[in-house]
Structures are given as C-alpha cells and as structure tokens.
Amino acid sequence: MSEHSDRAVELFKSGYNCSQSVFAAFCDKTGLPQETALRVAAGFGGGIGRMREVCGAVCGATMLAGMVCGATRGDDREAKARTYEKVQEIANRFREDKPSIICRELLGLSPCAAVVPTPEARTESYYKKRPCVKLVEEAALIAEAVLFSEEQE
C-alpha cells in the first residue's frame, strides 16, 4: 500500500463512494481542495450514479489522468492523446487480475438487476460481500504508478 491508497481506503471506509475516495486521495497532488474533489467525483460512484457501469474507482483514476495531463485547449491533440493513453493504461492494469472495469461485473450482478439510486448502508456485512475496498485500493495504486511515478513528474 502507499500513502495515497491508504488515504483512498480510509475515505471509502468513512462513507465516501469509490470514485470520491480515489480522486480525493490525491488532493495533495492535484492541488484541489478536498471538498471540491469530493463534489466533482460524487456522481461517478457505484459505476456512475449507481447504474453499475464503469467502476467508480476507475472513474476516479480517470479523472486524475485528466487533472495530470488533460487538455486545456480544444486543439491540443497531444494532451488529449496523452490523457487517453494514461486512461487506457490505467484500465488495462486494472483488468490484469480482474475480469472487467464494469461495476456490475465486478460485483457479480445481473445485467438486468434493478438500478436504484439509494446507496446501501455501510455495515460489516456490506464490506464482507463487496470487493470495493480492495478495488479502491488497487485503483489508487495504479493511478499513482501510472500518473505520479518519478519518470512522470
């Protein structure tokens, strides 16, 4: 584990969603105030709005890629390509020992499972049945390696 993955896990266990936990764990690197990071990432939890699409932890790492190398001009094709390259590397590393980056697949849910906006209570049984803590930790470790390793700075 690292300082950032530890922080991501701590945030998740404090009740923040997967995306918020990964994205806000790197406020020291992005320069964003934590409150801003938490708000920006809030809608991406639970596989984007709890729709069980792309894993929120991967979304958090994707937003970090945008913060690190994202284009700030519409015609900056190099920055766009570099961002997409980093996002694809994050996704590929995440998939190395997991079957997917799709939330419902990671959770073993049916594609036809009902989608409800209400988050589950964070109880002991929640943490036992969900791999989310580990996914948050791994996404933060991957983001750190891909975006903040010494050769990237």
Side-chain angles (χ1 to χ4, degrees):
M1 291 184 67
S2 72
E3 175 186 336
H4 294 102
S5 66
D6 286 347
R7 179 72 179 134
V9 167
E10 175 186 318
L11 287 165
F12 188 77
K13 287 183 174 181
S14 296
Y16 294 104
N17 72 37
C18 41
S19 185
Q20 288 175 304
S21 299
V22 172
F23 191 58
F26 289 87
C27 285
D28 65 316
K29 296 284 193 179
T30 64
L32 283 177
Q34 181 171 303
E35 182 178 343
T36 301
L38 292 169
R39 286 181 186 265
V40 167
F44 293 91
I48 306 175
R50 208 164 184 274
M51 293 186 294
R52 306 303 189 202
E53 297 295 335
V54 176
C55 170
V58 174
C59 289
T62 296
M63 288 187 288
L64 285 168
M67 289 294 296
V68 171
C69 49
T72 58
R73 293 186 339 266
D75 65 347
D76 189 346
R77 294 182 52 181
E78 279 185 40
K80 288 178 185 180
R82 181 164 167 75
T83 303
Y84 299 155
E85 175 187 349
K86 294 299 181 183
V87 169
Q88 289 175 19
E89 184 176 351
I90 288 166
N92 289 335
R93 286 192 185 195
F94 193 83
R95 283 188 197 104
E96 282 178 1
D97 64 346
K98 285 166 268 338
S100 179
I101 63 168
I102 303 300
C103 176
R104 77 173 111 16
E105 294 172 6
L106 294 166
L107 297 179
L109 301 174
S110 163
C112 301
V115 175
V116 295
T118 307
E120 287 184 60
R122 297 287 181 87
T123 63
E124 194 174 317
S125 67
Y126 171 91
Y127 290 112
K128 284 182 182 177
K129 71 179 178 178
R130 300 278 179 175
C132 302
V133 171
K134 187 69 175 156
L135 298 175
V136 162
E137 176 187 0
E138 290 178 19
L141 287 168
I142 291 166
E144 188 166 46
V146 171
L147 302 171
F148 300 105
S149 64
E150 286 182 4
E151 68 265 9
Q152 298 298 320
E153 294 179 351

